[in-house]
């Protein structure tokens, strides 16, 4: 099923980008342009992301740092 008709982005593609670490509609937009034209799909993207598809969100809930690799640089 298409989430973004403007760029032909499917629900499966949004979920894949979320699995790869995109946790916000803006990050999804950076990955595949969904939500950057007419914007009518942004709420749908938010709904998909709100279903716990974000690995970083799970890390934060477990008390782990959300941004790995930055601690060593400090």
């Amino acid at each position: 099923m298409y989430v973004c008709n403007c760029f032909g982005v499917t629900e499966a593609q949004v979920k894949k980008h979320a699995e790869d670490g995109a946790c916000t509609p803006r990050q999804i937009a950076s990955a595949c342009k969904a939500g950057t034209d007419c914007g009518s799909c942004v709420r749908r993207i938010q709904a998909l992301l709100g279903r716990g598809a974000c690995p970083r969100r799970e890390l934060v809930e477990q008390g782990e740092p959300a941004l790995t690799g930055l601690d060593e640089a400090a």
Side-chain angles (χ1 to χ4, degrees):
M1 168 185 261
Y2 284 104
V3 173
C4 176
N5 289 322
C6 297
F7 292 104
V9 179
T10 65
E11 186 173 308
Q13 288 171 302
V14 171
K15 289 179 180 179
K16 174 69 173 125
H17 290 303
E19 289 171 7
D20 291 341
C23 296
T24 66
R26 183 171 289 184
Q27 291 171 337
I28 295 292
S30 293
C32 63
K33 295 187 180 181
T36 62
D37 194 24
C38 77
S40 66
C41 61
V42 173
R43 287 185 186 240
R44 178 74 178 133
I45 292 168
Q46 288 172 327
L48 289 169
L49 295 175
R51 293 186 182 153
C54 180
R56 288 188 216 156
R57 185 177 304 129
E58 292 173 11
L59 288 173
V60 170
E61 289 172 356
Q62 296 171 6
E64 299 290 328
L67 299 174
T68 58
L70 294 180
D71 296 3
E72 294 90 28

